[in-house]
Amino acid sequence: MDTAVRSPASTRYAQCIEASKKVRWDIDRDVIRGRQFDYAKKFLPDRLAQMGGFGFATPEEKRFLSQVQGRTYSNMFGLVERFIAAKMLEVTRSHALGDQVVVEALVRFTDEELKHQELFRRLESMMAVGMPAGYRFVLDPDEVADVALSKSTWAVLGLTCHIELFTLDHYRQSIDKDAELSELWKDVFLFHMREESQHAVLDELEWLREDARLAPAQRDAAVGELIELVGAVDGMLQAQSAADAGYFTANIGRKLDAAQEAALRDGLLRAYRWQFIVSGVRNERFTQILESMLTQAQMQRVGAALAPILAHTSALQ
Ligand SMILES: [Fe+2]
Ligand SMILES: [Fe+2]
């Protein structure tokens, strides 16, 4: 006899399982389909790449910049999915003898993130052949995961929920709408978004469940850790944007003057901040969830921590 306790949210988990089965895809059969990237086309769409910040660049250079950013964008997902999958395994363990529908939904979540990491590794190896030599992804997924997983589950689930919500926004608001992108690059993020739609729901459910377990002082500490995690993400973006600026300048066949060089570096950091921090903070659902958990004072703490990053990216909005 099944004595496991059914949680009230079981139906939503069951819906995620159904949707996950319906959209499930295979890397080669459905996504890559023997194709290569089209380097005559852009990868990351203009709005996500904040292309307005690179007024010094020729059309060809802008296309290359979109491809450099698109390569880093893909690698960033492979990176964050390492700690997301590890945290989800841990969260799943805490449900192991409870509602088995919840366990199945979360096991599928982790399984999909493992597949996504494999997909992003495949893409990197393809782009390494198709693009000029010298690109470096300077961040180590395991080192980043060590930092992320040293924080409380509430903070990690908060960051994860933020990431998975902006993933959906990026596809629906920008990638889907741009007809000038490499078809393979675009398809990758279409298929990715289809599975991430369920993840965003599950993140919210698990984040709320974790939140309900916390005493006020624990939640207050967790807010500080979420702020620290966003700071760590920003540090990663600073390092990778500097590396990508170096790769770009080494491959455009002309020397940028000091002002152009500064605009490149600032433009890349601003674009990465927009992609990986600000667009998620602007997601309405994310704000609603956060507001449902935090006091006004805690919301203000989060707002104050984000203010310099928001100010930096607001120039082009
Ligand atoms: Fe993913
Ligand atoms: Fe995900």
Side-chain angles (χ1 to χ4, degrees), residues 81 113 116 120 164 192 196 199:
E81 289 179 349
E113 293 296 33
H116 299 175
F120 293 123
E164 313 218 79
H192 187 237
E196 291 299 326
H199 299 185

Side-chain angles (χ1 to χ4, degrees), residues 266-284:
D266 186 60
L268 278 174
L269 178 59
R270 186 190 292 139
Y272 292 174
R273 282 174 158 173
W274 167 251
Q275 291 156 30
F276 294 100
I277 298 176
V278 178
S279 61
V281 171
R282 293 243 183 120
N283 178 283
E284 217 173 299

Side-chain angles (χ1 to χ4, degrees), residues 211-223:
D211 185 69
R213 292 180 52 236
L214 297 187
Q218 290 174 308
R219 185 176 302 102
D220 203 58
V223 171

Side-chain angles (χ1 to χ4, degrees), residues 63-123:
R63 187 179 64 212
F64 181 50
L65 203 44
S66 148
Q67 293 169 356
V68 175
Q69 288 202 44
R71 185 170 176 180
T72 286
Y73 185 80
S74 157
N75 282 325
M76 281 293 291
F77 279 104
L79 174 95
V80 297
E81 289 179 349
R82 183 70 53 86
F83 77 73
I84 291 174
K87 177 49 77 178
M88 222 25 92
L89 274 177
E90 198 186 299
V91 169
T92 307
R93 182 72 188 84
S94 71
H95 285 283
L97 297 177
D99 187 332
Q100 298 298 291
V101 172
V102 175
V103 178
E104 184 180 347
L106 297 179
V107 165
R108 296 187 76 91
F109 180 140
T110 305
D111 180 49
E112 286 158 3
E113 293 296 33
L114 291 169
K115 179 178 67 179
H116 299 175
Q117 288 178 65
E118 161 73 11
L119 170 67
F120 293 123
R121 283 194 296 270
R122 286 279 301 279
L123 302 183

Side-chain angles (χ1 to χ4, degrees), residues 177-251:
K177 293 192 161 46
D178 197 326
E180 296 171 16
L181 308 183
S182 157
E183 277 152 35
L184 173 56
W185 197 89
K186 190 169 184 166
D187 267 356
V188 164
F189 290 97
L190 167 64
F191 283 97
H192 187 237
M193 179 275 290
R194 286 180 179 161
E195 291 187 340
E196 291 299 326
S197 300
Q198 286 69 256
H199 299 185
V201 175
L202 294 170
D203 284 332
E204 178 180 339
L205 291 168
E206 290 307 312
W207 192 19
L208 290 167
R209 171 182 180 258
E210 178 65 16
D211 185 69
R213 292 180 52 236
L214 297 187
Q218 290 174 308
R219 185 176 302 102
D220 203 58
V223 171
E225 289 183 327
L226 180 59
I227 290 170
E228 285 168 21
L229 281 176
V230 174
V233 170
D234 195 53
M236 286 160 40
L237 301 178
Q238 296 194 31
Q240 189 59 38
S241 62
D244 288 353
Y247 175 63
F248 176 81
T249 49
N251 286 287

